Amino acid sequence: MENIKIVLPDIPNLDKWDVYLANGGFEGAKKAFSKTPDEIIDIVKKSGLRGRGGAAFLTGLKWSFMPKTTDKPKYLCVNGDESEPGSFKDRQIFEYNPFQLIEGILITCYAIGANVAYLYIRGEYHKWIKLMQKALDEAYSHGYIGSRMKDTFGIDFSCDIYIHKGAGAYICGEESSLMNSIEGIRPYPRVKPPFPAQKGLWGNPTTINNVETITNVPVIINKGWEWYSSIGAQKHPGTLLFGVSGHVNKPGVYELPTGILLTDLIYNYAGGVPNNKKIKCVIPGGSSMPPLRGDKIEGVKMDAESLKEVGSAIGTGGVIVMDEDTNLVKVLARITKFYYHESCGQCTPCREGTGWMLKTLNRILRDEGTSEDLDLLISVANNIEGNTVCALGDAAAWPVKFMIDRFRDEFEKYVKRNVVIPVPNKVHSMRETAIPLEGIKK
Amino acid sequence: MSFKFTEENLARIEESKKKYPTSLAAIMDTIYIAQEQNKYISQEVMEEIANVLQVKPVDVLGVVHFYTMYYTKPMGKYHIQVCTNVSCMLRGAYEIWEQVKNKLGIDNMGVTQDGKFSLEEVECMGACGYAPMIAINEDYYENLTKEKVNQILDSLK
Ligand SMILES: Cc1cc2nc3c(=O)[nH]c(=O)nc-3n(C[C@H](O)[C@H](O)[C@H](O)COP(=O)(O)O)c2cc1C
Ligand code: SF4
Ligand code: FES
């Protein structure tokens, strides 16, 4: 069962047009175009496909929110911003299987009634943007995208796919920020509702899906929902691209069925921990997901439902492993510095709270912390969570709350109980006063 | 000495505009094109972008300042970006950072006197499994050691 590869099959040169076609390329699209859009949405719903961008939302259900009767243009945004620390999976798709992503985009656009798709790729991925553009040009030249689709597929439907290049801002991965970024305005996240399906790009109905999510679609259509839903975990079927990083012997991206044991992933696939050290901490799904204690990972399965049961989440499937010698205060400070740096500054709890948490963690690293600081950190995190326009606030709060809660002993070691230093509560602006991470730089 | 786009770049901007229903949406591509031509985004470059796209200069300003990949001062011929985020940090990114800093004698966002190098500490670059990593201009260098970084920097002319 471990050999099932849906998104990154073991076929050499699959990024070449002829190789892709020879291996069943665009069969899924042809099948899809012989059905009605509603039938496609129904198949994807029944397959149980869930989003790979972070929240594991049911893809077919999301598509069904798009209005059927509207004279407005509809859009698909494909999210390849990939900026969550610990996540580096979508770039493998751009590099090794770009045509399956293109095929998935065509099917998705057909299902939701969109004639234009924007593929948002982070600006730092210069190489992968070029590879993807080359693949798009090739598909255009063969008439598989754009106005000639009518001749190629014999259907009354056409779709254009454009790459939108980001310019270095994690927040643009958030769906409403991503839309503002495409529109060319300052990419502050929008207040929801209205949701993108009602009011998205330029006020029109829009669906946003992750690159990996969309790349699953052709195979689901081609092999059927029954086949797909039988793979992996029942409530979160299919395979996942697990990006394993940190203290493992063989870091990298592994495509495996959902529901695989975390220990199996780390020890059998990623080669275990260097020098046979013990694991202190694992973040299972990208830096914002609640971390797990190394002594509690036995039996933990890697799917949305199972991870929820152990108090974490699947996120992007970016597994970060830390060995017994890791200083978790430094790790938490570094993660918090990231969210402080990436906060767009629109809402006060996020803008101020992330800086406050970073200052407090830096103080603890300087050995000037008090035991009150730990509770202060949790309290600030609690005040951010749920009180902001977008989920970056939660993403900043969770590591702080759960790292301190689950590794209290480790943090206690740092804080001096006898000295109480008053909490600084200075208001600062975002960009000019960037706080250096003093403790980490030696 | 006001900034003007070359004919070729004006054509590229027109191409970009075709992707979108509004010309404002071509702003990010246009800023990149301007940065390629002028090396950085000055006040007059922003004004010319606004002029070419028929948008307000303040719209350009807001976008330029939001993103980290647009520079409002000239950077070096080789712009060295070192990721120090968590996955890289666990595999020695801060040692790489210190080493590059010392070797070039500049700090974050600094430029060497001869204008050859500039340095930036960056957030996760999506290369976490190949850590530690640096990027130089548009290229990624992964699975680095201190020795490899030295060799790479020394090889740059
Ligand atoms: C701060 C923030 C950053 C995000 N970054 C990404 C990203 O880089 N890629 C991505 O696919 N989703 C990202 N998301 C999730 C998207 O908002 C959205 O839920 C997702 O793209 C939907 O696709 P899916 O349903 O296929 O998972 C981010 C969310 C937040 C709050
Ligand atoms: S939560 Fe943070 S990143 Fe999200 S909109 Fe508010 S300030 Fe911006
Ligand atoms: S943490 Fe350095 S590339 Fe992701």
Side-chain angles (χ1 to χ4, degrees):
Chain A
M1 155 133 139
E2 267 76 24
N3 280 328
I4 295 171
K5 301 274 176 72
I6 296 172
V7 177
L8 294 176
D10 297 315
I11 302 169
N13 300 316
L14 200 55
D15 60 323
K16 304 277 180 303
W17 178 256
D18 295 337
V19 178
Y20 186 66
L21 283 199
N23 284 280
F26 291 97
E27 291 301 323
K30 283 175 195 153
K31 260 191 203 159
F33 296 151
S34 70
K35 301 180 192 301
T36 67
D38 280 346
E39 281 168 342
I40 303 295
I41 295 179
D42 198 46
I43 292 170
V44 173
K45 259 191 198 164
K46 284 190 184 136
S47 77
L49 173 67
R50 296 169 68 151
R52 292 346 189 198
F57 193 80
L58 283 160
T59 306
L61 187 62
K62 188 188 271 188
W63 293 0
S64 71
F65 297 152
M66 291 290 272
K68 304 258 180 279
T69 50
T70 170
D71 37 20
K72 289 182 167 178
K74 295 189 223 175
Y75 292 100
L76 172 69
C77 294
V78 185
N79 196 338
D81 192 51
E82 184 146 89
S83 308
E84 172 89 357
S87 314
F88 51 102
K89 62 185 182 72
D90 293 336
R91 70 181 248 198
Q92 325 290 325
I93 297 174
F94 301 140
E95 187 163 343
Y96 298 110
N97 202 3
F99 294 117
Q100 193 172 316
L101 169 59
I102 293 174
E103 187 180 351
I105 294 174
L106 294 179
I107 299 171
T108 307
C109 283
Y110 176 74
I112 62 172
N115 297 108
V116 177
Y118 293 102
L119 171 54
Y120 195 107
I121 307 182
R122 63 178 301 169
E124 294 88 345
Y125 275 1
H126 301 278
K127 172 180 161 188
W128 294 276
I129 290 171
K130 283 189 195 126
L131 291 174
M132 214 41 235
Q133 187 61 53
K134 198 171 139 257
L136 282 171
D137 292 345
E138 184 129 33
Y140 263 111
S141 74
H142 289 100
Y144 280 64
I145 314 177
S147 54
R148 279 164 57 213
M149 282 177 73
K150 290 185 180 68
D151 306 331
T152 311
F153 296 107
I155 42 150
D156 191 21
F157 170 74
S158 76
C159 176
D160 282 302
I161 305 173
Y162 303 115
I163 291 178
H164 187 89
K165 181 179 175 181
Y170 167 69
I171 194 60
C172 290
E174 196 280 334
E175 53 185 26
S176 59
S177 169
L178 182 140
M179 294 189 299
N180 281 340
S181 178
I182 293 176
E183 286 185 23
I185 56 179
R186 190 191 289 233
Y188 281 160
R190 302 174 184 174
V191 178
K192 287 179 263 185
F195 291 96
Q198 290 119 43
K199 217 163 173 278
L201 265 183
W202 298 287
N204 301 307
T206 304
T207 293
I208 297 163
N209 278 123
N210 171 260
V211 163
E212 184 188 342
T213 313
I214 298 287
T215 309
N216 273 284
V217 171
V219 184
I220 292 173
I221 302 298
N222 209 7
K223 299 203 174 174
W225 63 264
E226 294 94 340
W227 174 82
Y228 186 84
S229 64
S230 71
I231 300 164
Q234 204 195 350
K235 288 185 177 162
H236 186 187
T239 59
L240 256 171
L241 298 183
F242 292 105
V244 189
S245 65
H247 296 143
V248 287
N249 283 314
K250 291 194 292 173
V253 173
Y254 298 91
E255 178 170 6
L256 293 162
T258 52
I260 184 183
L261 287 173
L262 176 55
T263 46
D264 205 9
L265 178 61
I266 295 173
Y267 289 105
N268 295 344
Y269 290 93
V273 183
N275 306 317
N276 283 322
K277 285 194 183 151
K278 285 201 206 101
I279 295 176
K280 184 186 271 184
C281 174
V282 180
I283 305 178
S287 65
S288 57
M289 297 301 136
L292 301 171
R293 282 184 70 99
D295 54 15
K296 296 245 167 75
I297 58 172
E298 208 61 50
V300 170
K301 289 184 183 164
M302 294 299 285
D303 61 87
E305 302 298 319
S306 307
L307 280 169
K308 205 193 288 173
E309 278 168 27
V310 294
S312 191
I314 191 76
T316 57
V319 177
I320 308 172
V321 179
M322 295 167 229
D323 71 16
E324 55 189 313
D325 298 334
T326 310
N327 180 333
L328 291 183
V329 188
K330 281 188 184 178
V331 168
L332 183 59
R334 185 62 188 87
I335 291 176
T336 303
K337 185 181 178 221
F338 172 75
Y339 292 102
Y340 168 73
H341 183 261
E342 299 298 330
S343 167
C344 81
Q346 188 179 197
C347 6
T348 315
C350 171
R351 183 185 64 239
E352 301 304 324
T354 49
W356 192 356
M357 293 192 301
L358 177 57
K359 273 189 185 176
T360 311
L361 284 161
N362 271 336
R363 191 165 63 225
I364 293 173
L365 277 175
R366 285 199 309 266
D367 267 346
E368 291 164 13
T370 73
S371 52
E372 278 81 359
D373 280 338
L374 300 184
D375 297 317
L376 170 71
L377 279 164
I378 292 174
S379 142
V380 176
N382 279 335
N383 279 300
I384 301 174
E385 190 181 352
N387 292 324
T388 56
V389 166
C390 90
L392 187 139
D394 300 353
W398 288 344
V400 170
K401 281 172 60 167
F402 293 104
M403 191 78 96
I404 295 176
D405 190 48
R406 290 174 190 174
F407 297 90
R408 186 96 191 183
D409 45 340
E410 171 119 7
F411 283 81
E412 292 280 357
K413 271 190 253 162
Y414 260 85
V415 291
K416 292 182 192 146
R417 286 153 181 285
N418 46 351
V419 203
V420 177
I421 295 170
V423 176
N425 193 6
K426 212 173 83 199
V427 176
H428 53 78
S429 68
M430 280 304 303
R431 291 220 152 217
E432 285 74 23
T433 59
I435 305 176
L437 193 54
E438 304 143 35
I440 286 183
K441 295 176 192 168
K442 315 178 216 178
Chain B
M1 256 262 299
S2 65
F3 173 84
K4 287 278 174 242
F5 282 103
T6 62
E7 283 302 318
E8 195 196 339
N9 281 342
L10 282 173
R12 285 168 71 197
I13 294 166
E14 283 310 308
E15 271 312 301
S16 173
K17 277 158 84 173
K18 285 186 198 155
K19 300 196 290 191
Y20 311 99
T22 68
S23 67
L24 179 62
I27 197 167
M28 291 182 66
D29 280 349
T30 306
I31 301 169
Y32 270 122
I33 293 168
Q35 184 159 287
E36 211 182 288
Q37 188 180 320
N38 193 63
K39 304 296 175 226
Y40 72 105
I41 306 298
S42 64
Q43 184 67 33
E44 52 175 35
V45 169
M46 286 192 246
E47 276 162 25
E48 186 55 16
I49 292 169
N51 183 26
V52 165
L53 294 178
Q54 294 291 298
V55 300
K56 292 197 272 326
V58 62
D59 295 335
V60 186
L61 188 84
V63 173
V64 167
H65 281 278
F66 196 88
Y67 296 97
T68 56
M69 290 175 68
Y70 299 138
Y71 301 104
T72 50
K73 68 171 192 180
M75 302 313 283
K77 179 178 170 201
Y78 297 106
H79 186 58
I80 319 283
Q81 294 144 277
V82 185
C83 170
T84 58
N85 212 309
V86 55
S87 299
C88 286
M89 170 181 152
L90 293 171
R91 297 181 84 91
Y94 274 97
E95 279 124 58
I96 303 275
W97 166 250
E98 288 297 326
Q99 193 212 1
V100 177
K101 226 171 61 165
N102 294 337
K103 191 171 167 73
L104 301 180
I106 46 178
D107 209 329
N108 192 23
M109 296 315 276
V111 188
T112 54
Q113 289 222 306
D114 57 4
K116 189 167 158 189
F117 294 106
S118 50
L119 177 62
E120 185 175 6
E121 181 184 359
V122 290
E123 296 298 346
C124 178
M125 298 281 274
C128 329
Y130 321 105
M133 68 84 67
I134 64 172
I136 304 176
N137 297 342
E138 300 196 347
D139 298 317
Y140 279 31
Y141 299 82
E142 301 172 333
N143 298 311
L144 294 177
T145 56
K146 284 185 178 182
E147 294 73 46
K148 274 200 226 166
V149 175
N150 262 350
Q151 281 169 15
I152 294 163
L153 293 185
D154 288 340
S155 74
L156 299 174
K157 293 272 140 54

